[in-house]
């Protein structure tokens, strides 16, 4: 009888101790959760305060002009383009050599634009000239447009080759930025040094490219919506056409709004130890209050690239027509496709150089955010 009482008392003690332990564990978990929530809340408040300090302008609220005007002391359009050209020309062995290396890689992966396709484009344009439908100058620009379209749509058939082509494009961009930093620091790098050492931020840059794709989605969705409605003959009425065009334009403006800062993020992400989202935030802080002026200079880069293609390819097309008119055996030589590949490779190097120099000029103007 005594043994049963002792066992019952011991069981009660054990259950009591267990309940106390459970209560303590529950209370400790509650305290930990409360502390974690308070810590998270403080971090969110700190991040919000820092964000407001970095970007005092509030969306959908009227801000006085004195509060959002931000200085941008950078060279003019022609001056900045001239500086990029001088930088490349003073280090022509580096940058022209890098463009040639990239052209060889693209040639191995994707090849040239088909010479037979170029002949068909040329024959079609010359046929319209002979019929008197268009002038010779218009036919030359038609060939130019067909050649550019053929180069842009010249993609490898194999998915692995496409991935390697994108990686080659990324490496050329990173190598150009690395060489520019080395040259600006007074060093004398080589192409081999750039190719071997510039790949450190490769993963971060690939993540940044996914962010770029997400930023392009609004514009792409607007174009797809407009094309679908036009194909379905929904836009036959003028009011619907205007509404669809306005929606497409607004979605395109949204993508441009994001991409303006992402262009600088592609430079910032190459800094050692910089993560993609941090690069996006830093780029956003740099362009805030200056976005339209920066966008205009990036559009100027696109105009300069288009002018470069016209200046080089139009005489090449004329030269090819002149040579093949005298010597029939040269008709199979892909002069124009080779020149298109070289110009496309140089365009990547020039774009990286222009963007890097522009970024350096903007960063040098350390005015307060607006």
């Amino acid at each position: 009888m005594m043994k049963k009482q002792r066992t019952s008392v011991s069981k009660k003690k054990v259950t009591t101790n267990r309940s106390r332990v459970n209560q303590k564990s529950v209370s400790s978990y509650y305290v930990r959760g409360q502390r974690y929530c308070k810590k998270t809340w403080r971090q969110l408040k700190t991040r919000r305060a820092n964000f407001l300090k970095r970007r005092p302008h509030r969306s959908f609220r009227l801000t006085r002009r004195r509060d959002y005007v931000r200085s941008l002391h950078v060279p003019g359009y022609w001056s900045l383009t001239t500086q990029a050209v001088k930088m490349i020309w003073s280090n022509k062995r580096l940058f022209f050599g890098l463009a040639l290396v990239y052209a060889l890689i693209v040639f191995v992966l994707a090849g040239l634009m088909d010479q037979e396709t170029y002949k068909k484009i040329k024959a079609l344009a010359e046929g319209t000239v002979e019929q008197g439908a268009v002038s010779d100058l218009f036919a030359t620009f038609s060939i130019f447009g067909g050649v550019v379209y053929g180069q842009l749509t010249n993609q490898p058939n194999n998915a692995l080759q496409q991935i390697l082509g994108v990686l080659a494009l990324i490496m050329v961009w990173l190598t150009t930025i690395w060489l520019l930093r080395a040259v600006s620091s007074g060093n004398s790098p080589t192409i081999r040094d750039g190719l071997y050492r510039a790949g450190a931020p490769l993963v971060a840059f690939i993540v940044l490219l996914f962010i770029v794709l997400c930023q392009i989605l609004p514009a792409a969705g607007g174009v797809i919506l407009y094309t679908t409605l036009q194909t379905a003959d929904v836009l036959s009425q003028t009011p619907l056409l205007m509404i669809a065009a306005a929606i497409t334009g607004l979605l395109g403006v949204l993508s441009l709004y994001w991409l303006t800062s992402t262009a600088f993020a592609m430079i910032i992400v190459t800094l050692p130890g910089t993560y993609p989202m941090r690069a996006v935030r830093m780029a956003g802080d740099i362009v805030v209050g200056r976005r339209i002026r920066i966008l205009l200079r990036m559009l100027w880069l696109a105009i300069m690239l288009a002018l470069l293609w016209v200046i080089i390819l139009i005489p090449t097309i004329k030269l090819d027509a002149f040579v093949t008119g005298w010597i029939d055996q040269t008709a199979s030589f892909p002069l124009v496709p080779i020149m298109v590949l070289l110009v496309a490779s140089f365009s990547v190097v020039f774009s990286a150089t222009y963007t890097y120099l522009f970024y350096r000029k903007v960063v040098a103007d350390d005015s307060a955010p607006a």
Side-chain angles (χ1 to χ4, degrees), residues 38 64 87 91 123 125 152 162 188 211 243 254 272 303 347 351:
K38 290 182 179 179
R64 294 184 178 181
M87 174 64 75
N91 302 276
L152 294 177
Q162 294 180 0
S188 300
I211 297 175
I243 293 173
L254 180 61
I303 294 173
S347 298
S351 300

Side-chain angles (χ1 to χ4, degrees), residues 18-31:
R18 287 180 179 177
S19 62
R20 290 177 179 175
V21 171
N22 291 332
Q23 289 177 0
K24 289 182 179 180
S25 62
V26 170
S27 63
S28 64
Y29 285 133
Y30 175 76
V31 172

Side-chain angles (χ1 to χ4, degrees), residues 187-219:
N187 300 323
S188 300
T190 61
I191 299 176
R192 182 180 62 181
D193 296 335
L195 291 173
Y196 287 162
R197 300 181 184 180
L202 179 61
V203 177
F205 196 90
I206 292 175
V207 175
L208 186 61
L209 285 184
F210 280 107
I211 297 175
V212 172
L213 292 177
C214 294
Q215 292 174 347
I216 295 175
L217 286 179

Side-chain angles (χ1 to χ4, degrees), residues 123-136:
L124 180 62
E126 291 177 350
T128 55
V129 173
E130 292 177 356
Q131 295 174 2
V134 296
S135 62
D136 183 63

Side-chain angles (χ1 to χ4, degrees), residues 67-96:
D67 296 330
Y68 67 79
V69 173
R70 192 179 185 187
S71 63
L72 184 61
H73 300 295
V74 295
Y77 295 95
W78 283 110
S79 179
L80 189 61
T81 307
T82 305
Q83 290 182 15
V85 172
K86 287 182 179 179
M87 174 64 75
I88 293 176
W89 185 253
S90 59
N91 302 276
K92 49 184 174 294
R93 294 185 63 181
L94 278 178
F95 296 109
F96 283 112

Side-chain angles (χ1 to χ4, degrees), residues 114-157:
D114 191 8
Q115 180 67 9
E116 295 299 326
T117 303
Y118 172 70
K119 289 181 179 179
K120 291 179 181 179
I121 297 172
K122 182 180 176 181
L124 180 62
E126 291 177 350
T128 55
V129 173
E130 292 177 356
Q131 295 174 2
V134 296
S135 62
D136 183 63
L137 181 62
F138 184 82
T140 303
F141 275 96
S142 300
I143 298 173
F144 170 78
V147 167
V148 173
Y149 178 78
Q151 176 64 27
L152 294 177
T153 57
N154 184 27
Q155 300 293 334
N157 297 324

